Amino acid sequence: MTGTSGALLEVDGLSVTFPSEDGEVHAVRDVSFAVEPGEVLGVVGESGSGKSVSLMAVPRLLPGSARVTGSIRFDGTELVGAKPETLRGLRGSEMAMIFQDPMSSMNPVHTVGRQIAEARRAHASVSKDEAWRDAVAALALVDIPQPETRAKQYPHEFSGGMRQRAMIAMAMVNKPRLIIADEPTTALDVTVQAQVLEVLDQARVESGASLVLVSHDLGVVAGTADRVQVMYGGTIVETGPTEEVFERPRMPYTVGLLSSLPAVDQIGGRLHPIPGAPPSLVSLPPGCSFAPRCPIVEDACREAEPELVEVGTGDAAQRSSTIGTDHLSRCRRWDVLAEGSTENLFSRTEVPA
Amino acid sequence: MSAPSTEAGAAPGAGGERDGALLQVRDLTTTFPVRGQGVLRRVVGRVQAVTEVSLDVDAGETLGVVGESGCGKSTTGRSILQLIRPDSGSVRYDGRELVGLSAKEMRPLRRELSMVFQDPFGSLDPRLPVSELIAEPLRIHQVYSSESDLRDRVDELLGLVGLKSEHRNRYSHEFSGGQRQRIGIARALAANPRVVVLDEPVSALDVSVQAGVVNLLEDLQERLGLSYLFIAHDLSVVRHISDRVAVMYLGKVVELGDAVSVYENPRHPYTQALLSAVPLPDPAAERRRRKSRVVLTGDIPSPANPPSGCRFRTRCPKAQQRCADEVPVLRASDVAGTHTFACHFPMGDADSAA
């Protein structure tokens, strides 16, 4: 899935390892994906799946001990091995980041307006007054009431939701072309989350930027992303258009993730957990990393890690609607999922985790 | 704090009060002092964490308590168990009044009223092996006859929560989050409680693991006839596990009733906004919902200085003058009185779609 011409971000064969006392931690393994201009890519997975690390490698916001190999091209410029100045020029201007915790990503001793103006002046030759005006305009863009007054306040005077909106304002002030949002609403209450997601969407549509949304919340991704990629054991196990992946999952892990969720709009009977635990990233099994927990595993799955294969054209009934959708799965037995109902895949395998 | 008006429309016993419930909470109020900056750290105000909360938990029933951060749901749970001393109100367990009991008088009752905490990392002593973690409550309450009896009971509890007896000598750091929460549940169940307060028991877990713990809690309830007070911010999990649900906002119960009724036919505008804000893991449905979603403006006001009248009025799309003047009391939504809400201008059946 590489070399899509015109892609804003192209990640090819990205691997990230960290040294540890127990050996090398393979946090990200051979990950390739592309983000088109204006596109929203959702990245989902559970803790330790490599979803955050793979995206933080893009602006090189990883600890110094991380070893990054492969290729990351932003608008044609290679970032792996690039000079620090190249990255410094891109970070905060062409590509912006929004993090989970807005309290620790702002400086408590400077006013919110000053921090946003500083971000503006770091990348553009504008006067202090102009930068301040841009900061106030950015706060207005994210629906902060009385932006002139609010800009003069300190982060602690903002509530959690307002702080996160101010973070979005700071990310948007230089009109970035790519926004990487890592769990941007995880620390927020649902009613505030709804506000922040709406603001993020508005800001993105107005600026035409691409968005990579990393989240463990399948609901957040379902409503926002054009395409989604599911990560497990440090690598992409399924990717495709959001509706395709949610409605016709072709990787047992994705099926398990969806069927383990209780539904707010349904009276549920029994939930269907995925048995077992995620693999250790220090000593991964030789075959498919999901094999030890998979209800349809066969011997061949344990021998070699399967490749990502096109799965969109498997079902004759759905062939017309799914042709050329780039729906890929890292499962040798995806056709089993295409043939039968995926609903009861995990119900018969219930064992305590 | 203004006194609630007693309104003619209020059904007697509104608030889901039932005679003979195992746990009866009436007008429970808990406040925390706010201290000044000076040397004397004088009390300059009080945060009204829980205000006049009334609810019942029947034997074998699960009452879910939902609400956002700062709504007082955790303080309610802790005040019921007297882990935080409430200012006023009454908590009757099996006919016995708990408010006002000394720590010593409370101790034998703690066998029957236990708690599961959110953080499976912080709530287990890292220096004790699993067998000792589980045996600790048994030793405290002296509910074993001999060391071999204790050992058997620990193994039985491990089996009950889906762990193996060979796990008994391991330490908590050797377990995954889901397994640790199972150890926490085994501890809570060790002394054979009748009521368990679960404070965000699955919030720290990944969804695939969370499902297993939720199933376990349901199985244990059925086998042991437990009553649960299930406190969580995740509306989907609460709906899944609860028989009845209480929705809290800024220290008060705003809606209380049968889970199906509250979720299908929310009467309080806050309940409706809360339900409509939950993102669905279904792309087509979620996109439709986003268009019609009631997005609340503003943030939760400070509980140190709550708004007059209805506490939700500052964010409510339906608020009028009356909401500022008069505190709404819980009143019945249906003839049976099993679903109550506190709102002057409730959502009708026509516009209550979640």
Side-chain angles (χ1 to χ4, degrees):
Chain A
M1 221 187 58
T2 52
T4 326
S5 60
L8 180 65
L9 177 70
E10 286 178 81
V11 173
D12 196 7
L14 177 72
S15 293
V16 181
T17 57
F18 294 98
S20 83
E21 283 176 17
D22 306 321
E24 290 240 290
V25 179
H26 300 271
V28 176
R29 302 180 297 121
D30 194 17
V31 162
S32 302
F33 62 92
V35 184
E36 306 290 324
E39 187 185 39
V40 182
L41 173 69
V43 181
V44 296
E46 297 180 284
S47 351
S49 63
K51 59 185 190 306
S52 287
V53 175
S54 62
L55 270 308
M56 285 304 118
V58 174
R60 205 184 283 171
L61 291 181
L62 295 172
S65 62
R67 217 165 62 81
V68 180
T69 54
S71 157
I72 302 170
R73 279 187 303 280
F74 179 77
D75 198 20
T77 309
E78 178 61 54
L79 302 185
V80 175
K83 286 185 184 142
E85 300 87 79
T86 312
L87 279 141
R88 215 175 295 138
L90 289 172
R91 275 194 296 245
S93 63
E94 297 274 296
M95 60 169 86
M97 275 70 66
I98 299 169
F99 303 101
Q100 174 174 345
D101 183 1
M103 194 64 200
S104 54
S105 21
M106 283 201 160
N107 188 335
V109 302
H110 293 312
T111 63
V112 171
R114 175 173 165 181
Q115 295 183 57
I116 300 175
E118 193 177 282
R120 179 81 185 114
R121 278 170 61 81
H123 294 286
S125 50
V126 291
S127 72
K128 278 192 169 170
D129 287 349
E130 270 176 273
W132 181 264
R133 275 197 297 277
D134 289 342
V136 172
L139 287 172
L141 178 77
V142 296
D143 289 344
I144 291 203
Q146 301 162 295
E148 296 86 3
T149 321
R150 285 296 188 169
K152 291 178 200 139
Q153 293 182 334
Y154 291 88
H156 75 266
E157 297 175 81
F158 280 44
S159 68
M162 288 239 286
R163 246 179 255 142
Q164 197 58 303
R165 276 185 277 160
M167 275 299 295
I168 297 172
M170 196 188 291
M172 300 307 295
V173 74
N174 286 312
K175 311 229 168 352
R177 294 161 70 197
L178 175 69
I179 308 164
I180 299 173
D182 189 5
E183 304 269 8
T185 59
T186 304
L188 306 175
D189 281 315
V190 285
T191 61
V192 180
Q193 167 171 286
Q195 289 172 6
V196 170
L197 286 175
E198 206 173 74
V199 160
L200 185 61
D201 207 48
Q202 260 174 33
R204 183 189 64 77
V205 170
E206 270 175 47
S207 65
S210 306
L211 171 66
V212 180
L213 180 71
V214 181
S215 181
H216 73 284
D217 188 326
L218 295 165
V220 168
V221 169
T224 311
D226 301 317
R227 278 193 308 122
V228 61
Q229 68 193 29
V230 183
M231 294 199 62
Y232 184 81
T235 196
I236 299 172
V237 293
E238 181 159 14
T239 177
T242 307
E243 298 209 2
E244 267 288 308
V245 173
F246 277 76
E247 275 158 35
R248 287 181 282 279
R250 293 292 177 259
M251 167 74 202
Y253 174 65
T254 316
V255 175
L257 211 52
L258 288 166
S259 66
S260 60
L261 283 174
V264 78
D265 57 343
Q266 261 169 39
I267 288 289
R270 217 128 157 100
L271 298 179
H272 306 303
I274 304 175
S280 153
L281 296 172
V282 177
S283 52
L284 281 154
C288 171
S289 54
F290 189 63
R293 305 171 77 186
C294 184
I296 55 167
V297 64
E298 51 182 25
D299 288 344
C301 300
R302 298 195 179 91
E303 281 158 20
E305 180 146 55
E307 297 289 311
L308 273 172
V309 290
E310 175 72 46
V311 295
T313 54
D315 189 341
Q318 287 154 2
R319 190 165 293 163
S320 58
S321 65
T322 55
I323 244 169
T325 52
D326 279 336
H327 184 179
L328 308 177
S329 160
R330 200 181 284 280
C331 181
R332 295 179 58 259
R333 306 198 67 201
W334 63 270
D335 52 323
V336 176
L337 301 177
E339 279 157 21
S341 158
T342 55
E343 260 169 42
N344 297 317
L345 191 63
F346 283 86
S347 55
R348 54 201 153 83
T349 60
E350 198 180 312
V351 289
Chain B
M1 187 175 70
S2 53
S5 64
T6 31
E7 199 183 318
E17 303 170 14
R18 303 144 170 223
D19 285 334
L22 185 61
L23 191 68
Q24 297 182 330
V25 179
R26 294 290 172 273
D27 296 326
L28 189 72
T29 300
T30 304
T31 65
F32 295 112
V34 182
R35 294 188 187 275
Q37 299 288 317
V39 204
L40 296 176
R41 311 221 14 103
R42 255 194 276 264
V43 176
V44 293
R46 298 202 74 89
V47 174
Q48 300 181 19
V50 177
T51 308
E52 288 160 357
V53 165
S54 296
L55 41 87
D56 281 353
V57 187
D58 278 337
E61 180 192 50
T62 301
L63 175 70
V65 181
V66 284
E68 298 180 283
S69 25
C71 75
K73 54 189 190 302
S74 290
T75 308
T76 301
R78 282 160 207 235
S79 300
I80 288 172
L81 295 185
Q82 308 299 308
L83 295 171
I84 295 171
R85 295 279 165 187
D87 292 28
S88 62
S90 147
V91 177
R92 293 185 84 81
Y93 162 69
D94 205 14
R96 260 191 96 172
E97 178 60 53
L98 305 185
V99 176
L101 290 187
S102 68
K104 199 177 165 193
E105 289 168 320
M106 206 41 223
R107 198 165 300 135
L109 287 165
R110 297 214 180 276
R111 254 185 81 177
E112 294 171 43
L113 301 158
S114 75
M115 178 140 186
V116 174
F117 298 92
Q118 171 175 355
D119 181 5
F121 297 83
S123 54
L124 301 174
D125 188 335
R127 290 168 301 183
L128 292 180
V130 169
S131 57
E132 274 310 304
L133 284 171
I134 298 174
E136 199 176 26
L138 295 164
R139 291 191 199 278
I140 288 167
H141 296 297
Q142 295 167 351
V143 282
Y144 62 100
S145 48
S146 63
E147 278 298 313
S148 75
D149 180 35
L150 183 73
R151 203 186 151 83
D152 290 348
R153 177 73 182 139
V154 168
D155 285 346
E156 185 193 334
L157 284 160
L158 281 170
L160 202 59
V161 297
L163 294 172
K164 301 190 182 90
S165 45
E166 53 260 39
H167 288 145
R168 62 194 335 280
N169 293 324
R170 295 202 200 158
Y171 291 84
S172 60
H173 72 263
E174 297 174 68
F175 293 91
S176 66
Q179 287 174 319
R180 268 185 251 207
Q181 200 55 299
R182 287 168 191 269
I183 299 168
I185 293 167
R187 259 170 79 85
L189 297 181
N192 276 323
R194 292 171 71 194
V195 177
V196 184
V197 173
L198 303 121
D199 190 0
E200 302 272 10
V202 296
S203 308
L205 308 176
D206 275 321
V207 286
S208 68
V209 176
Q210 169 182 308
V213 175
V214 169
N215 284 347
L216 171 70
L217 289 171
E218 288 180 329
D219 290 345
L220 291 171
Q221 180 171 47
E222 198 162 301
R223 280 174 69 178
L224 308 171
L226 301 167
S227 301
Y228 287 155
L229 186 74
F230 192 94
I231 301 163
H233 71 281
D234 185 324
L235 289 136
S236 313
V237 171
V238 168
R239 171 166 196 168
H240 181 85
I241 203 165
S242 304
D243 299 307
R244 291 188 307 125
V245 173
V247 181
M248 289 189 70
Y249 184 79
L250 213 60
K252 290 201 137 192
V253 171
V254 296
E255 188 153 7
L256 173 59
D258 178 66
V260 180
S261 184
V262 170
Y263 277 77
E264 298 289 328
N265 191 11
R267 302 299 304 277
H268 200 287
Y270 175 65
T271 311
Q272 202 219 11
L274 198 60
L275 288 172
S276 89
V278 178
L280 295 181
D282 172 342
E286 175 59 16
R287 264 157 233 222
R288 274 198 307 278
R289 268 163 69 98
R290 282 225 176 153
K291 293 202 180 77
S292 63
R293 178 163 289 161
V294 196
V295 176
L296 291 180
T297 51
D299 291 290
I300 300 178
S302 159
N305 185 20
S308 68
C310 174
R311 292 186 176 181
F312 182 56
R313 69 178 165 85
T314 52
R315 297 172 76 196
C316 183
K318 301 183 84 175
Q320 298 182 28
Q321 186 54 41
R322 187 181 168 199
C323 305
D325 299 338
E326 203 181 309
V327 178
V329 292
L330 280 171
R331 58 188 166 118
S333 164
D334 49 3
V335 188
T338 53
H339 181 176
T340 58
F341 60 93
C343 179
H344 295 308
F345 305 102
M347 316 302 290
D349 294 270
D351 54 0
S352 63

